[in-house]
Amino acid sequence: MCVEKIMSSQTFKLLNQHTVVRAGAGAGKTTRLVNEVIERAQLWKQAYGKWPRMVLTTFTRKATQEIRERLILKACEIKDEDLLEYLSSNAWLQISTIHGVMSLFLRRYGHLVGFDNGFTVITEEEAGRIARRIVRDLAIENKDMSELMSLLGLKSLSRLLRRMSLLKLESAGLHYVTDEELRYYWEEHTKTLAICLMQVMQEVREATDDVKYLEFVNEVEQCVSDLHPPTEDLSRQVFLVLERLPKSKPRYNSKKPQLSKDLHDKVGKALSKFKEQLQSPELQPEQWKKSQAWFQKLELVAENFHNQFLEQKMLQGHFEMTDLESITVDILRNNEGLGEAFASDFDFWLIDEYQDTSPVQVELLDRLVGQSPTFIVGDPQQSIYLFRGARSEVFDQREQKIQELGFEPDVQKKNWRSEPELLLFFNELFSYLPSEFIAMDPKQSVTNSNIVVARFCPVDEESYKEDKETQLHGIAREIQQLLQAGAHPEDICILGRSNDKLFDMAQYLRRHNFPTHLHVSSGFYERREIMDAMALLKFLVNPYDNRNLVLLLRSPWCRVSDQELSAWLYGEQSSYWLALKKAEDFKDHEVIRQLKKLEDLKFEWGVSQCFEQALVNFGCIDFSHYHDVSGRRESNFWKLVARLKEEEKKPGFSYLQFINRSFTQMDTEAGNEESDAVAALEPNHIQLMTIHASKGLQFPHVILPDMHRVPPVVRKPDISLDESTGAWSAKLPIGEDNGYQHTVADLVLRDQRAAQETKESERVLYVALTRAKTSVFMSWVNPIQSGSWISHIPWSFKPGVYQREAFSYEVLEPCREPVFWQRPERKVEAIRSAWSGKPKSERPIKRSVTSLVEEESSKLDRGPASSPSRKVPERIKKAVEGVLVHRMMEVLKTDWNFDFTKVASEWLGGDAKKFLTAVEWVRSLKEIPLKTIIEKGEVEWGYQQLKEGSIIEGQVDLWGVAADKLWIVDYKTGSQKYMDQAFLQLQIYAEALKKYTKIENVQLCVVYPMDQVIKTQSI
Amino acid sequence: MLIRHPVSLHLDKVKHLDTFDPHTMTWLVADLTSKSEIQQHLLCRHKVLPEDAVLRASELWSKVFQELYPSWRLVSHDFMRSQLAEFLKKQKHSFASTPGAAKTLMTYIQQLLPILSDSGGKENLQSWLQENSSAMIRWGHWLELSQRAWADLEEMQIITGTWCSGFLVNHPALADSWSRKIFSDLGCQIHSVEAVLLKQLGEQTEVVVFEPVNTWTARYKKTLNAYDLFNKKPVTSESTLPPLPVPKAGQGQTLEIHRYSTMVAEVKAVVAEIRNDLDAGIQPQDLALLAPDIEVYWPVLHHYLTQEGVPFQKNVVARLQTFADVDVWLARLRLAMGKVSSHDLERASFGENHQLRSLSFEKFKRLFSIIYDNADLGRWKDIKNKFESQKTESETLMAHEFLVWISSYWPDNDNTERLARFIKKIYTESPLNISRELRSWMDLLENLAAKDEVIILDGVAAGVHCLNVQEAAWVSLTCRYFLGLSADSLRSQETTGLLFSDVQKIHNDLGYILMWPDKAHLEFEALWLLQTKASKTHLGFSATDFSGNILAPSILWLQSAFQAGKDVEKLSLPQPTRWDEIQRANAKTIARFRLWSKEHAQALETSIQQDLGDVEPLPFAGEVPWTLSASQLENYLTCPFQFAAGKIFGLSDEPDLDLDIDHMSRGKMMHKLFEWLTKEPFRADWSIEELKALVDRLPEETKSPLADNRLWSSICNQYLDLAQRFLERERQFREEFPETHTEGRELEVAAKWSIEKNCLVEPHKEGVPFRGFIDRVDRNDRGQVVVVDYKSQDKFQTNYRSWLDNDQLQLGLYSMAFEKGLTKKDPAEVIGAFYYSAKTLAREKGFRMEEHVGSLFSENKRNRSHINKEAKQELFDHLNEKIGKVVQAMKQGFFSAEPKDQKTCPTCAWKKLCRAKHLNF
């Protein structure tokens, strides 16, 4: 097809189309993505005769792997081998997380801006250490830094500076908040305050026509209106408003009330609050000046710090995960050509979960994607990663952008996941939430509106006071009923907002015999089994650590009771280990004996092997099932072992560093360092996970506790940033009584953030509930908090079954008694014995000539050929001589007259002369035809010989045939007292060489060049 | 003459071994296992076999190279890398100094060597890059560095084994360098450059190239592209790819395809299967466990095999750096070259069989857990003397100087075997005349320590094979178990910016053939192996690795499963191994199997039950003669185990010294400062200089070492400011209450707690010793006193009404003690007891007797601190009752981890040590 034709064809249009798909929960987003990749690739191939180079980014590694698998499976179904090959080729189809894409960019182009292509991602802790060191050095030299350190302390200051460093990279036009901006924030904030007060005043106006109240309201409104527009002198303006505001509200007449008591009180509170807030330090311009003076210092110091911090990271090739984004965007901003170069490496981009993208990531993607067509899919209703910088609005903006380009956004509303009745329940429930959620279409029409798809279990205040676990009893009862109705434990998932709550719940369920599996993405190193195992490892490295020893001894594996331990250790001042080893009373204690054995074994086996053996011998694995039937503990032990093995391959590895995890490298894609390993026997357990972790998953039954709680309100951060202007403000301890002082910018930005979080909280509920396929269960404790999830639902929550048009729901009585699950009996099965068969056929065992000689020598009681206890300087000297002599012979083979002067002096210094004399002696040897042997023979000749079921491996220094004789020569630099062994060695060589050369006339020869001695033997 | 010999199956090659003459022929292989298998095969007939009979390709090229370039020195990969790192340090590019640069440069040189070592290569490639701008951006800088580095290396005449082939392609007389007939059995691991070399050797000697050709091999064009170079005519590409040859079970054969949740499950499954095979009479050596990287599985696999009693051929090894003496030695060396770290310092100070005499580990930990550089060693004299570096990383040393230096730090002079290993390695690898920076030598040493292995347990020669897939071609098998068939393990990612398209274009435009590491050769190898029939084939894939990282199945596994009609998402549960049976047994049975005593097993089981909270821990240490203090009692009430950790197990909870002063030291310094400033007669007129001098004495007087003395000027300002504010506050206070006379500062309370009377009594009486220090006692003209407790944080300051609920005993206890005359001061009525906030300098919270307002304190109506005599007595009675209960509980040995508030557990200093059931999930 000619180019013109392609350019004008429909195919071309399709191939260059930008698509944005808004796909609600359960709408088959992954299927759509998979189809899009395949269709797009096939179309491209058709048009251009080659496959496109595509990038598909997803939010998690899990999603990445799932899509990969789905793609290949689809290609298998289509039976298109070319497509199959294409989809499994990383070079053509890059499927990774956004961090993976950044990694690829940095590895390809990073070096052009001084970035280490082989960079490593370090932990926050390690980065913190680098930062603190820089701050320390700067504080010693720099007055401003020293002053700031004095104010904040080094740790807080370095944390603040790290944050600023990150902002510097991410935010264009970063600056501390100006007077003008502060005035703007002041206006914004006071407007908000005024509105709150005016709302109350409006309520009064609507509730009464009492003249006094109305006059009061008028007066207040008049005063408040004087706050705006702001004048030059804000303090005075506030002062005047406060002065003029009524000092008190009208008196409440209980006999003849003109207003309800509640509203009357509300008026008073609102007025007091307004006055108080108006006088708060954050709103005082004179305080801003003080803050700004510090900000100026901070800005200067931060610049200095930023440069050094970045330089250090660049130099060491160590970066934090957050750096990947910020540094990449910074590089791309300053080097447009690189973005273009990278963009030209690919033809098409697919971006999944776009709603969880941050503005920085959007910019980054825009620059990396360039002009390539894109396929973007996501659901702004499921944007729940605000804390990681995600902004749900980016999706709408993208939709708008492609509309401007003339493309229509696509909306997928059909939900394939949930049963229709349940889905319609969701639609109704979400319609009560303040945010607008798009209703989804059921996969089929409703068949039975009697089906109870949702159960609510409110716990009244009294029941809760009586028993704090009432809510948990209710959950357990629900699980019990589901299981009794035939659900499998793994069909049930309890979703929580935080790990803590899940942890409590898992504990409760475990105590009541329910099989549970708690999925947490952190805390691996805080798991009991890992702490115990680490204590064992630490003991092997440093037994003098008393605290660690106590930890180890208290573990079940050492099983020293506290009674014993307290008796052993009381009053002991020095190293507990030394004391325990020496003390008569317990040096023979079984545990101490075992630990002592380990101390010896580690010299023989190395620390790691010894550690692994100890895990086995101490019964850690044997009892892991007893400890935890889910199998998680065993998997965690192996995760630790595998990690240790992986780490110890690295040069510079240190056990203590591993134990302290002071330098943990991370994988840009995986990041599973902190999570549990997966159990080998995972199924058949009730799942517990956070709502965030459940994204992309589905379960027949979802349980959602604590519906009455409002997520904790965001605190004022250390540093606030206005993303639209780049203005920042920080809290500093410069207030009264050394308290922290904020500016009005902090208040406004905090309120903005709080509003974002409130909206996100509703989306979190959306995500949580839409995981369910068949039923949901929600529980809470009264009184409910205002703004909590359940507070939005205007239904009656009196016990009973309620039927709506398309579904039914049930409100349950609280469960006041604990509920237990029948724990399955522990099966005691027979244990097979270890396999004790003997291999029928033997494979030959390899043995070295050296080991044979040693064995023979020991039979003759001649002692080893080399002394293991030889002192270090002697060893070096002998090693140098040995190496040099062998090198000499090799060189002589190619150049008999080689000049060794330079080499010898460099290596041997003062001893060079001796070596040169040895060389000359060798060259002038008359006893044997050495020159001929070397020239015609073999130097450093390796061989194998099969003898009596063994393969003997040897390396002959020199052999050759001269005058019909087979000469076998060995060079020695050691003591001549081991000459017998040398000839023994030569005899073994001779036996092989006779067979190989078929020459029987053999002459053995041991040469001591440094001693100028030669000994021969005939066979 | 070069003869191409297509082989569609492994068996096609075997027959050539029958006519193979080891005297005159060389069989060329790609890996050690194949080499060993062929050697064994040949030894059966020839009894003695010269090394040259069977060689790996890299060995052949090294031999040829040494023959042709005798003056050059072959160095190890590690040596070369550290040499390049040294070279890069001197380069102007900023990325050149980064740690990963040397590794990347090595790969580039290896790939570009056919051009670099060609006389006109530089110019040719430069002009090519001008026309190929995207390649220029991607690797233009690396080319520049490669050229410069290669020029240096040429001058030094050093090369590494893996580069020899790239260098040899430009040698004009290569064909004369090898006279043995060659059988090239490199399969898909042949590189294009090697194909060129074999072609050249074929001009003089006979070269038989076994070329893998099968119905499906056209699918792996890139993998096998080296074979195209043997063709005279260009190969035309087929329009569609042939299908993947997924395995199918023939007659009498079984094919099992499994997906497991994790690698642990996979290990269990294959071990259980192997056990079944052995029980069925199959010989161990006819079984193989094959993985793309068997080392990934080995740490777990070998334990499971051992527990099952299955013999295996693979050795269990330990890297040199895992040996304690080497670990300590390397730590010492790093310190000696000025590379200071806390972990090295600990290792060197508390190494094998020795510890610092002058410093306990606890003290060491406090001082050196957080260090930043050499200057921090000064925190302890002995440490500084012992470990302050004498050398710098940039100091230049000759090889023997380096060896002498490292030898002087070897920790065990009586056992130098492992040291000798290092010395030998370095001597044999280093060129004679080289001098380099200490950091480069250390880099080399650390690499050797990380790579060199020692055999711990010899494999059993006739045991089960445990191999990488590319090593198994020559192993004859009945049953084979493929593990870890994930996408990433069978296809790797690109390593440099030099793309396959660049390599092809350079070949087409300039005629150079460059090496390009293939990404799919492991997949090819696995498929190739699967062409050979076996009675049982098991294809395994784990959905997660040992760490829990999610994996995707490879195309091989997925298509095999798909075609076998298997539900690809369904997880297989492993059959139990013997070890699983042990794990599922009860404690008694486990003990019997492990030959443990019954008591041992019982104790272990009980301990676990305690951990799980199923069994209550027993009381302990009830009779330990401890001394009480107010803070310890409070500690006990916070959590009994906290008390036990410090007082019974004798452990220290002092925080680690860092650049910021820790809360304990801050508290001590604040107390000391206030103690000094309230000395009678009170002075409010301290000059700045006087205060500065006072503040400067704080660290020493309070025994609060500073992490870095240079920061004191910043820190002391805080105390100077505090001192000034405190003095001003005191001045005002004394103006308001002129009767104030600070009678006691850090006033000692010496008493006993009488269990019988349930109160504090004189020290000579019967009871539990009690000791404490009252921060401050102010007395008025009437002899009445106020007890003051300084607090650095406001959150612990409450009025007396909350003391019992909050377990705050201190002020009440001290008030009682003072009134009872248990201090060295005259007893008097305590009319007030206050917390004194170091932050706000307020002394409001506590109690104040209403009737004495005005002498030592003012009235505060909003404050709920007012008390009368009766209420005070009631408070004292309740406090005594509470303390009495605590002492009773202590006496009964109740020291379990039962915190008052579980929310405090995550930040508790003892959280690792404590085995509270709620933390033990």
Side-chain angles (χ1 to χ4, degrees), chain B residues 331-461:
Chain B
R332 285 182 178 184
L333 290 173
R334 283 189 288 263
L335 291 169
M337 62 188 263
K339 209 173 160 187
V340 172
S341 66
S342 167
H343 50 89
D344 278 343
L345 199 58
E346 181 180 336
R347 196 74 181 106
S349 306
F350 296 87
E352 296 312 303
N353 295 331
H354 74 274
Q355 59 167 333
L356 278 183
R357 293 218 173 131
S358 61
L359 191 61
S360 69
F361 178 73
E362 276 64 36
K363 181 100 181 164
F364 170 88
K365 187 179 165 296
R366 165 148 167 76
L367 292 178
F368 295 104
S369 280
I370 306 166
I371 55 174
Y372 297 88
D373 59 26
N374 255 309
D376 296 325
L377 297 181
R379 293 176 195 173
W380 194 259
K381 202 173 149 197
D382 281 2
I383 291 275
K384 185 174 157 57
N385 292 342
K386 202 166 174 194
F387 297 112
E388 196 169 46
S389 62
Q390 305 299 319
K391 289 193 183 294
T392 60
E393 288 183 90
S394 55
E395 191 170 330
T396 306
L397 296 177
M398 300 290 287
H400 69 276
E401 289 173 326
F402 175 67
L403 290 179
V404 170
W405 181 71
I406 60 173
S407 304
S408 65
Y409 287 91
W410 184 253
D412 185 356
N413 238 0
D414 294 328
N415 195 342
T416 55
E417 277 304 296
R418 289 189 194 112
L419 172 65
R421 242 180 123 116
F422 283 104
I423 291 173
K424 197 175 166 193
K425 278 255 175 202
I426 291 175
Y427 261 123
T428 41
E429 285 188 357
S430 303
L432 307 179
N433 52 353
I434 202 160
S435 73
R436 46 201 333 223
E437 287 183 0
L438 185 51
R439 82 175 106 224
S440 303
W441 284 119
M442 267 308 284
D443 188 36
L444 174 64
L445 192 67
E446 287 182 333
N447 271 290
L448 288 176
K451 275 203 184 139
D452 205 1
E453 293 173 340
V454 175
I455 296 175
I456 301 299
L457 292 169
D458 279 305
V460 177

Side-chain angles (χ1 to χ4, degrees), chain A residues 558-779:
Chain A
C558 286
R559 68 224 157 263
V560 176
S561 67
D562 286 333
Q563 295 82 346
E564 281 176 298
L565 203 58
S566 53
W568 288 4
L569 300 180
Y570 185 76
E572 189 54 57
Q573 296 294 320
S574 60
S575 158
Y576 289 177
W577 176 237
L578 289 183
L580 291 175
K581 275 204 297 189
K582 280 182 204 154
E584 284 300 319
D585 294 349
F586 27 79
K587 70 176 186 189
D588 290 329
H589 189 283
E590 197 177 341
V591 171
I592 304 301
R593 268 210 328 267
Q594 278 193 7
L595 292 176
K596 276 203 270 190
K597 259 192 215 166
L598 286 180
E599 269 200 321
D600 297 336
L601 187 66
K602 78 177 170 186
F603 279 97
E604 216 180 303
W605 281 22
V607 174
S608 293
Q609 287 297 340
C610 180
F611 168 65
E612 283 177 36
Q613 203 53 47
L615 287 181
V616 175
N617 291 351
F618 278 38
C620 301
I621 310 291
D622 291 348
F623 274 84
S624 57
H625 188 261
Y626 185 94
H627 225 141
D628 173 19
V629 289
S630 78
R632 189 203 68 191
R633 286 204 189 216
E634 191 198 355
S635 288
N636 277 351
F637 276 125
W638 293 126
K639 171 173 176 171
L640 182 67
V641 168
R643 272 214 70 79
L644 179 60
K645 285 282 165 195
E646 202 48 48
E647 288 297 314
E648 69 185 29
K649 285 181 193 165
K650 294 176 186 165
F653 164 80
S654 148
Y655 282 106
L656 289 171
Q657 205 173 7
F658 178 81
I659 293 163
N660 299 333
R661 296 189 305 121
S662 55
F663 182 76
T664 314
Q665 289 178 12
M666 292 159 78
D667 187 326
T668 48
E669 291 272 303
N672 252 345
E673 162 78 9
E674 282 290 328
S675 64
D676 279 318
V678 174
L681 310 160
E682 191 178 349
N684 300 324
H685 289 82
I686 294 151
Q687 320 273 328
L688 291 101
M689 63 181 76
T690 60
I691 297 168
H692 284 81
S694 75
K695 221 174 155 195
L697 304 178
Q698 54 185 27
F699 307 91
H701 310 287
V702 163
I703 292 173
L704 203 54
D706 288 336
M707 293 280 290
H708 62 292
R709 288 186 201 277
V710 175
V713 184
V714 69
R715 286 190 195 150
K716 284 181 247 184
D718 289 353
I719 185 159
S720 314
L721 174 77
D722 188 331
E723 287 170 6
S724 59
T725 61
W728 62 265
S729 167
K731 69 165 190 181
L732 293 173
I734 51 172
E736 226 169 282
D737 293 334
N738 284 347
Y740 281 97
Q741 184 178 299
H742 297 264
T743 68
V744 66
D746 295 319
L747 300 185
V748 174
L749 295 169
R750 180 201 57 188
D751 290 348
Q752 284 174 4
R753 174 79 178 192
Q756 285 175 325
E757 288 190 3
T758 304
K759 283 192 167 182
E760 186 178 81
S761 166
E762 291 162 20
R763 297 196 293 269
V764 171
L765 176 65
Y766 177 90
V767 170
L769 290 177
T770 53
R771 300 308 95 200
K773 288 161 80 173
T774 311
S775 80
V776 289
F777 171 89
M778 289 169 262
S779 67

Side-chain angles (χ1 to χ4, degrees), chain B residues 138-158:
Chain B
R138 265 182 280 117
W139 49 274
H141 280 62
W142 287 109
L143 172 70
E144 190 190 324
L145 281 178
S146 301
Q147 282 168 338
R148 262 188 262 145
W150 179 246
D152 273 16
L153 298 174
E154 254 185 323
E155 198 179 317
M156 292 166 73
Q157 298 198 319
I158 58 170

Side-chain angles (χ1 to χ4, degrees), chain A residues 189-224:
Chain A
H189 190 65
T190 49
K191 269 182 190 166
T192 311
L193 297 182
I195 287 168
C196 290
L197 184 62
M198 288 303 107
Q199 277 169 350
V200 180
M201 294 303 135
Q202 187 57 32
E203 276 183 60
V204 175
R205 210 183 268 286
E206 285 165 11
T208 184
D209 48 9
D210 180 72
V211 179
K212 276 184 189 165
Y213 275 110
L214 292 178
E215 273 175 7
F216 169 78
V217 167
N218 283 340
E219 205 178 340
V220 170
E221 281 178 349
Q222 182 57 47
C223 289
V224 170

Side-chain angles (χ1 to χ4, degrees), chain A residues 69 81 136 146 154-155 528 532 576 612 622 634 648 832 840-841 843 887 903 906-907, chain B residues 37 73 219 259 283 285 303-304 321-322 373 416 427 432-433 576 594 649 660 714 915 920:
Chain A
E69 186 169 345
E81 293 297 331
R136 179 198 67 175
S146 169
L154 195 136
K155 233 177 216 169
R528 186 71 261 172
D532 288 346
Y576 289 177
E612 283 177 36
D622 291 348
E634 191 198 355
E648 69 185 29
R832 70 185 92 153
K840 280 180 190 157
S841 61
R843 280 166 68 93
R887 288 292 310 276
V903 171
E906 279 173 352
W907 277 56
Chain B
E37 291 292 321
R73 180 99 187 118
R219 195 182 177 94
R259 179 188 192 117
Q283 285 295 294
Q285 63 188 29
H303 286 295
Y304 263 90
Q321 66 180 356
T322 68
D373 59 26
T416 55
Y427 261 123
L432 307 179
N433 52 353
R594 295 298 185 203
F649 297 136
D660 277 329
S714 301
R915 308 190 73 87
N920 193 23

Side-chain angles (χ1 to χ4, degrees), chain B residues 181-413:
Chain B
K181 177 179 174 177
I182 295 173
F183 289 89
S184 167
D185 179 19
L186 300 176
C188 70
Q189 292 184 63
I190 187 171
H191 291 300
S192 316
V193 172
E194 290 174 327
V196 176
L197 294 178
L198 287 172
K199 239 171 133 176
Q200 288 180 28
L201 289 178
E203 289 167 16
Q204 289 292 330
T205 187
E206 197 178 335
V207 176
V208 177
V209 176
F210 296 123
E211 181 180 351
V213 179
N214 209 322
T215 50
W216 54 275
T217 45
R219 195 182 177 94
Y220 292 87
K221 265 184 62 60
K222 257 195 229 175
T223 308
L224 300 174
N225 79 329
Y227 290 99
D228 293 345
L229 296 167
F230 297 125
N231 290 319
K232 290 200 174 107
K233 290 178 199 164
V235 182
T236 50
S237 57
E238 289 176 37
S239 54
T240 52
L241 291 178
L244 204 70
V246 291
K248 288 187 183 105
Q251 205 173 7
Q253 295 170 342
T254 49
L255 172 68
E256 289 174 3
I257 303 170
H258 294 283
R259 179 188 192 117
Y260 299 101
S261 59
T262 164
M263 286 179 172
V264 178
E266 206 178 359
V267 166
K268 285 173 187 268
V270 293
V271 171
E273 288 277 321
I274 281 184
R275 175 62 191 267
N276 290 341
D277 295 338
L278 293 175
D279 287 345
I282 299 171
Q283 285 295 294
Q285 63 188 29
D286 295 331
L287 298 162
L289 291 161
L290 308 168
D293 181 1
I294 195 72
E295 295 301 334
V296 169
Y297 286 90
W298 194 234
V300 184
L301 185 57
H302 82 83
H303 286 295
Y304 263 90
L305 290 170
T306 306
Q307 293 294 326
E308 199 66 48
V310 175
F312 46 86
Q313 290 192 24
K314 191 171 163 58
N315 297 329
V316 175
V317 296
R319 287 164 199 272
L320 267 182
Q321 66 180 356
T322 68
F323 287 91
D325 47 5
V326 178
D327 191 30
V328 170
W329 179 54
L330 290 171
R332 285 182 178 184
L333 290 173
R334 283 189 288 263
L335 291 169
M337 62 188 263
K339 209 173 160 187
V340 172
S341 66
S342 167
H343 50 89
D344 278 343
L345 199 58
E346 181 180 336
R347 196 74 181 106
S349 306
F350 296 87
E352 296 312 303
N353 295 331
H354 74 274
Q355 59 167 333
L356 278 183
R357 293 218 173 131
S358 61
L359 191 61
S360 69
F361 178 73
E362 276 64 36
K363 181 100 181 164
F364 170 88
K365 187 179 165 296
R366 165 148 167 76
L367 292 178
F368 295 104
S369 280
I370 306 166
I371 55 174
Y372 297 88
D373 59 26
N374 255 309
D376 296 325
L377 297 181
R379 293 176 195 173
W380 194 259
K381 202 173 149 197
D382 281 2
I383 291 275
K384 185 174 157 57
N385 292 342
K386 202 166 174 194
F387 297 112
E388 196 169 46
S389 62
Q390 305 299 319
K391 289 193 183 294
T392 60
E393 288 183 90
S394 55
E395 191 170 330
T396 306
L397 296 177
M398 300 290 287
H400 69 276
E401 289 173 326
F402 175 67
L403 290 179
V404 170
W405 181 71
I406 60 173
S407 304
S408 65
Y409 287 91
W410 184 253
D412 185 356
N413 238 0

Side-chain angles (χ1 to χ4, degrees), chain A residues 2 160 194 220 239-240 279 293 312 324 328 339 359 410 425 490 590 592 677 680 711 717 741 776 846 949:
Chain A
C2 69
L160 186 65
V220 170
F239 175 77
L240 290 175
Q279 293 175 80
Q312 280 291 315
L324 285 185
T328 311
D410 188 348
F425 162 77
E490 68 268 26
E590 197 177 341
I592 304 301
Q741 184 178 299
V776 289
K846 286 185 182 169

